[in-house]
């Protein structure tokens, strides 16, 4: 009986949770599995993940899900119809366009803005912070003073200044938001770098003859990724609100693009009588922003090194 117990094959869960992994792949999969267990234990984080998966699904299949055209309206017979009237589930706007269809297609713009800003701002902040933290001295001082200059201005005000210089449009709005979003990431990366710069394994790599660039990009940057991922996820809600603010002011996506902030701006004239024109895109912004915040909180708990060490 004892022999049978000792020689029984290891289950998949036991293989993932083994304290003696036989390969690097097994160790990575085990860490990923433990991270997922901590994340899935947070019900609100799972709700946030489902919201964002729903956003991605809606954006991917917008052409199939939208019942009407997002840009062509019916001024003669469908202007400012209330929700549920004549097949318009969320009503219509002042141009006779279906609000639901515009929200569905607007999810593509929202997702595109979020992804592009993250792709541009996060690597810039990560590289600047890691280089400043590892190099130290005058280079650290120069890079951090530049970062402080950007942090001294409110993000929306600075984004407005860049968009005013570049001109209105969704592409310029993305550039402006990305330019104003990287400084917090640089601060986080610098703080993480300072904690590992003098560690034993970095000293060992240095003694083996690795160049500073190799040490930064192969050994320091990966140590900053977990904190950066959490911060980027939590900042997504702010990015959405900034993009909506630019659209509200007419500096973001231009008509007839169904951008949620621009939809709120066009509906503010009817907020008392035709409340749904501005309320529906506001609810969409609220739900998506809440989803990113819940996901960020869950990732913070799951990727916390103190939790990982337990």
């Amino acid at each position: 009986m004892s022999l049978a117990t000792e020689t029984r094959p290891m289950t998949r869960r036991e293989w993932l949770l083994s304290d003696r992994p036989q390969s690097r792949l097994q160790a990575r999969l085990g860490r990923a599995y433990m991270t997922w267990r901590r994340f899935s234990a947070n019900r609100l984080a799972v709700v946030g993940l489902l919201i964002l998966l729903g956003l991605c699904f809606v954006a991917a299949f917008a052409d199939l899900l939208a019942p009407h055209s997002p840009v062509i309206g019916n001024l003669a017979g469908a202007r400012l119809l209330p929700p549920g009237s004549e097949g318009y589930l969320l009503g219509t706007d002042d141009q006779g366009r279906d609000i639901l269809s515009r929200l569905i297609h607007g999810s593509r713009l929202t997702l595109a803005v979020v992804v592009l800003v993250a792709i541009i701002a996060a690597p810039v902040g990560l590289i600047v912070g890691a280089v400043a933290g590892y190099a130290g001295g005058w280079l650290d001082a120069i890079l951090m003073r530049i970062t402080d200059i950007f942090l001294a201005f409110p993000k929306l005000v600075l984004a407005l200044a860049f968009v005013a210089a570049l001109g209105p449009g969704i592409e310029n709005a993305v550039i402006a938001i990305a330019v104003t979003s990287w400084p917090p990431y640089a601060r986080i990366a610098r703080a993480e770098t300072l904690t590992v710069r003098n560690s034993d394994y970095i000293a060992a790599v240095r003694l083996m003859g690795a160049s500073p660039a190799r040490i930064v990009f192969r050994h320091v940057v990966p140590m900053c990724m977990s904190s950066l991922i959490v911060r980027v996820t939590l900042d997504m809600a702010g990015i959405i609100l900034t993009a909506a603010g630019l659209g509200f002011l007419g500096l973001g996506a231009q008509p007839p693009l169904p951008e949620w902030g621009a939809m709120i701006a066009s509906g503010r004239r009817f907020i008392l009588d035709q409340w749904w024109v501005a309320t529906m895109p506001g609810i969409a912004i609220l739900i998506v922003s809440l989803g990113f915040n819940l996901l960020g909180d869950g990732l913070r708990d799951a990727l916390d090194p103190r939790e990982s060490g337990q």
Side-chain angles (χ1 to χ4, degrees):
M1 190 70 174
S2 175
L3 181 61
T5 302
E6 293 177 358
T7 59
R8 70 176 179 84
M10 184 181 296
T11 64
R12 184 177 301 176
R13 183 175 182 273
E14 292 173 341
W15 184 79
L16 289 172
L17 298 178
S18 174
D19 57 353
R20 295 181 179 178
Q22 302 299 315
S23 65
R24 184 177 299 177
L25 175 62
Q26 182 181 356
R28 290 176 176 174
L29 291 177
R31 288 195 299 269
Y33 177 69
M34 291 299 298
T35 301
W36 169 249
R37 287 185 60 184
R38 289 192 296 270
F39 177 83
S40 59
N42 188 335
R43 299 295 178 84
L44 291 178
V46 175
V47 171
L49 178 62
L50 292 177
I51 291 174
L52 298 185
L53 290 177
L55 175 68
C56 295
F57 177 82
V58 170
F61 299 99
D63 294 330
L64 300 177
L65 297 175
H68 302 279
S69 170
V71 296
I72 301 176
N74 182 8
L75 280 172
R79 184 175 184 270
L80 295 175
L81 292 179
S85 299
E86 301 181 13
Y88 297 101
L89 185 61
L90 299 182
T92 61
D93 61 8
D94 59 321
Q95 301 296 321
R97 297 171 297 195
D98 179 40
I99 293 178
L100 176 60
S101 300
R102 289 179 63 78
L103 290 179
I104 290 174
H105 282 271
S107 64
R108 288 181 169 178
L109 293 175
T110 300
L111 196 61
V113 169
V114 166
V115 171
L116 290 175
V117 170
I119 290 175
I120 297 172
V124 171
L126 178 61
I127 294 173
V128 170
V131 170
Y134 183 79
W138 62 268
L139 183 58
D140 180 27
I142 292 175
L143 292 177
M144 287 302 100
R145 296 301 76 78
I146 296 175
T147 303
D148 291 339
I149 292 173
F150 279 89
L151 290 174
F153 296 92
K155 182 180 293 186
L156 181 57
V157 174
L158 194 58
L160 285 172
F162 279 110
V163 173
L166 297 173
I170 189 66
E171 298 86 357
N172 293 337
V174 169
I175 296 174
I177 299 173
V179 169
T180 61
S181 298
W182 67 266
Y185 309 146
R187 281 291 184 185
I188 291 175
R190 178 179 180 271
E192 294 285 344
T193 303
L194 291 176
T195 61
V196 302
R197 181 177 63 178
N198 297 322
S199 58
D200 292 339
Y201 76 93
I202 294 295
V205 173
R206 192 181 297 116
L207 289 174
M208 293 174 63
S211 64
R214 181 179 178 85
I215 293 175
V216 169
F217 289 102
R218 292 294 300 273
H219 302 281
V220 174
V221 166
M223 297 298 296
C224 306
M225 290 302 297
S226 60
S227 300
L228 190 69
I229 290 172
V230 173
R231 180 57 191 262
V232 170
T233 307
L234 290 172
D235 280 352
M236 293 301 183
I239 292 171
I240 292 174
L241 293 176
T242 303
L246 294 176
F248 182 86
L249 296 173
L251 297 176
Q254 299 300 297
L257 291 178
E259 199 273 326
W260 292 348
M263 291 174 65
I264 295 176
S266 65
R268 73 182 186 274
R269 296 172 294 167
F270 317 103
I271 192 65
L272 295 180
D273 298 323
Q274 290 82 25
W275 53 269
W276 58 89
V277 180
T279 302
M280 297 306 177
I283 293 175
I285 293 174
L286 171 65
I287 293 175
V288 174
S289 300
L290 179 63
F292 275 113
N293 283 332
L294 294 177
L295 178 64
D297 288 338
L299 289 176
R300 180 180 57 194
D301 296 337
L303 299 175
D304 191 340
R306 291 171 296 180
E307 296 288 341
S308 302
Q310 295 179 357

